[in-house]
Amino acid sequence: MPILNRIINHFHLSRTKEAIMQNLFWAVIGKSVNLLGGLLAGIIVARYLGPEQYGLMNYVISYVFLFQTFALFGLDSIEIREEARGQKSYQTIIGTAFFLKLIFGCCFIALAIITSWLMEADGYTTLLVAIYSLTVVLNSLIVIRNYFTAIVQNEYVVKAEISRTLISIVIKLTLLWIGASLTWFVVAYMFDFVLLGTGYVMAYHIKIGFLREWQFDRDYAKFLIKESFPLLLTNAAVIIYQRIDQVMIGSMIDKSSVGYFSVAAKFTEVLIFLPMILAQTITPILVKARERDIAEYNAKAQQFMNFSFWLSLIASAAVSMLAYWLIRFTFGPAYLPAVAVLQVMAFKAASVALSNTAGAMLVTEGLQRYAILRDGFGCIVCVLLNYLLLPHYGIMAAAFVSIASNIAAGYLADALVPAYHHLFLCQTRTLIMGWSDLTHVKNIFSK
């Protein structure tokens, strides 16, 4: 990697810092390729299916995603934290987390299908839910990705993800060429998780060892459940106010509106990848910094929050101004009603940056047990405002609500929870003077 090597040599980084920089580089490359590939696949599929069928597909995906959150049980952040600490063998941590997710996944697949069957008059929608719900179990193999993140070696899983993305695009182009129905496209999106899981297993086998070495520890499982349960409630609240909008739009308006909203959401997902990747990458750094010195930890956390928020805000403004051309020349004229939605939703990236960086801090500090209060507040704001405003203002209301719920959960709630007052102060400093740290990114990774 000549470019990366030149960057490392320029900053004269130590071996530890070099590993961190390489991890961040691969994380950004992988997420960029995956999101851009997903956007390309979305454009291809959306143009072929049209707003109504594309909206139905995204309704199904969002519906199943709600159940997938419960199946993950908030274990991801705890797994990464425990592996970074290294106080338990990684075989036990991975094995226990995997089997817990597998058990929860089977339970929530059944629940997703049953609730869809009870709620939907359309049996075809329930069939699509049943097909796509298999991803809930397949996603259990994300424990492998979490381990590579914890040991700061994202390169290996990123290559697997890039391969999955490229194969996925070829599959969807093939379906387009043969004139396949919506059902087959839902199957293809489900098969993406089969490809991804296979890639994770291959990367683990090549670089780490064998899956048969994984161990399930019943006592440790109780510990993981106890530690992660607050994050389960938190993640559930987060996913509800991040994904419930498409489900509510499909139920209260129509599936075509879901299609328009999903198009704007596709670009928004590309925007928010940077703060999300930074939050995942910075967590092991913050854990180690806090173990060394509290003052160092506080300084790094503030610098990281400043950089993440203001960079995201600049990117949000750029996308908002280019919204018409982005949609017109990608998804096509049929999706122009999504332009106004994207002009608003683009700024969701900045609110996510402010929320996610605080989230990384509370996990590092072991304060996740109170997180349900902040995210529950955001969930209530999201559902209540969508319920009141969607019938009158349509999908534009959902666009504004998506930002309002992020701000409510990720910033305002921190002022209401005593344990999070220091996060609120940190975020307020970011809003007022954080722009000054845009030119000091090196300090985040310095010792």
Side-chain angles (χ1 to χ4, degrees):
M1 304 298 297
I3 297 177
L4 180 60
N5 290 335
R6 283 201 292 269
I7 294 174
I8 291 173
N9 292 334
H10 174 75
F11 286 106
H12 304 290
L13 301 179
S14 66
R15 187 177 298 274
T16 300
K17 298 174 193 175
E18 179 181 336
I20 293 171
M21 183 62 72
Q22 287 176 337
N23 192 61
L24 179 60
F25 174 82
W26 280 106
V28 171
I29 291 295
K31 197 65 174 180
S32 299
V33 172
N34 294 333
L35 281 174
L36 292 176
L39 179 61
L40 175 60
I43 291 170
I44 294 169
V45 174
R47 281 179 170 267
Y48 174 74
L49 293 177
E52 184 174 357
Q53 285 197 316
Y54 184 65
L56 174 57
M57 185 182 72
N58 279 278
Y59 171 83
V60 168
I61 291 173
S62 296
Y63 184 81
V64 172
F65 200 80
L66 297 177
F67 293 88
Q68 186 177 96
T69 303
F70 287 95
L72 292 176
F73 210 82
L75 286 165
D76 290 339
S77 296
I78 301 301
E79 180 194 346
I80 293 173
R81 187 194 71 187
E82 292 301 304
E83 287 164 347
R85 287 177 174 175
Q87 296 176 354
K88 194 85 172 178
S89 73
Y90 69 87
Q91 293 96 336
T92 299
I93 298 174
I94 299 176
T96 304
F98 172 75
F99 285 109
L100 285 175
K101 289 183 179 182
L102 201 60
I103 294 169
F104 295 141
C106 291
C107 294
F108 283 103
I109 280 181
L111 190 59
I113 296 173
I114 292 171
T115 53
S116 177
W117 179 68
L118 293 173
M119 292 171 55
E120 291 289 339
D122 179 13
Y124 181 58
T125 301
T126 300
L127 173 63
L128 297 181
V129 168
I131 293 171
Y132 191 74
S133 64
L134 294 175
T135 61
V136 177
V137 166
L138 294 170
N139 202 41
S140 300
L141 287 169
I142 200 173
V143 294
I144 296 176
R145 194 193 203 293
N146 294 337
Y147 177 65
F148 278 104
T149 299
I151 63 174
V152 200
Q153 292 185 20
N154 269 352
E155 173 185 354
Y156 309 112
V157 292
V158 164
K159 290 178 179 178
E161 292 169 351
I162 291 175
S163 300
R164 181 281 307 265
T165 299
L166 298 178
I167 295 173
S168 174
I169 292 174
V170 172
I171 291 174
K172 292 175 179 64
L173 286 173
T174 303
L175 292 176
L176 181 66
W177 181 62
I178 65 176
S181 66
L182 171 61
T183 304
W184 285 105
F185 280 96
V186 173
V187 171
Y189 275 95
M190 181 275 293
F191 189 69
D192 287 348
F193 285 80
V194 176
L195 294 172
L196 187 60
T198 302
Y200 285 161
V201 171
M202 291 176 62
Y204 186 87
H205 177 68
I206 293 171
K207 296 297 179 181
I208 308 298
F210 298 97
L211 270 61
R212 63 173 179 266
E213 297 173 346
W214 291 358
Q215 302 168 5
F216 178 79
D217 186 317
R218 181 177 299 181
D219 293 332
Y220 194 64
K222 295 177 182 177
F223 168 77
L224 289 181
I225 291 174
K226 179 182 177 181
E227 288 291 302
S228 63
F229 184 72
L231 287 180
L232 163 65
L233 301 177
T234 299
N235 292 343
V238 170
I239 293 303
I240 287 173
Y241 73 72
Q242 296 286 357
R243 289 280 188 162
I244 197 68
D245 43 19
Q246 295 189 37
V247 176
M248 293 183 72
I249 290 169
S251 300
M252 299 176 68
I253 306 178
D254 54 48
K255 299 301 189 292
S256 295
S257 296
V258 180
Y260 301 136
F261 191 85
S262 299
V263 166
K266 283 288 183 184
F267 287 103
T268 305
E269 287 172 4
V270 174
L271 261 179
I272 65 178
F273 93 92
L274 183 58
M276 292 180 67
I277 283 296
L278 284 173
Q280 289 181 355
T281 302
I282 202 69
T283 298
I285 300 173
L286 293 181
V287 169
K288 296 184 183 301
R290 194 167 188 268
E291 290 176 350
R292 288 193 302 266
D293 182 70
I294 294 296
E296 177 190 351
Y297 161 75
N298 290 333
K300 285 186 181 296
Q302 184 70 67
Q303 291 164 355
F304 166 64
M305 184 178 290
N306 295 346
F307 177 76
S308 180
F309 172 77
W310 283 94
L311 186 63
S312 297
L313 184 62
I314 292 171
S316 297
V319 170
S320 181
M321 290 186 291
L322 297 173
Y324 174 82
W325 292 276
L326 286 173
I327 292 176
R328 174 67 177 79
F329 295 111
T330 54
F331 287 87
Y335 290 91
L336 285 179
V339 170
V341 180
L342 179 58
Q343 288 175 328
V344 174
M345 279 190 69
F347 290 94
K348 181 179 178 179
S351 65
V352 168
L354 197 65
S355 175
N356 279 15
T357 49
M361 291 174 64
L362 68 89
V363 171
T364 301
E365 297 172 21
L367 297 175
Q368 63 271 12
R369 60 188 178 278
Y370 304 114
I372 183 58
L373 299 176
R374 71 198 297 261
D375 293 307
F377 180 53
C379 180
I380 293 171
V381 169
C382 176
V383 174
L384 182 61
L385 290 183
N386 271 316
Y387 180 77
L388 294 174
L389 301 178
L390 271 179
H392 303 288
Y393 302 103
I395 54 177
M396 283 304 300
F400 281 103
V401 171
S402 68
I403 298 175
S405 56
N406 265 297
I407 294 174
Y411 177 55
L412 298 180
D414 291 339
L416 304 177
V417 181
Y420 295 160
H421 283 173
H422 67 294
L423 298 180
F424 178 77
L425 294 175
C426 186
Q427 291 168 310
T428 302
R429 285 193 291 268
T430 292
L431 293 174
I432 297 174
M433 291 296 296
W435 55 268
S436 61
D437 266 340
L438 283 177
T439 57
H440 299 90
V441 62
K442 179 181 177 182
N443 293 338
I444 299 175
F445 301 100
S446 64
K447 184 176 180 180

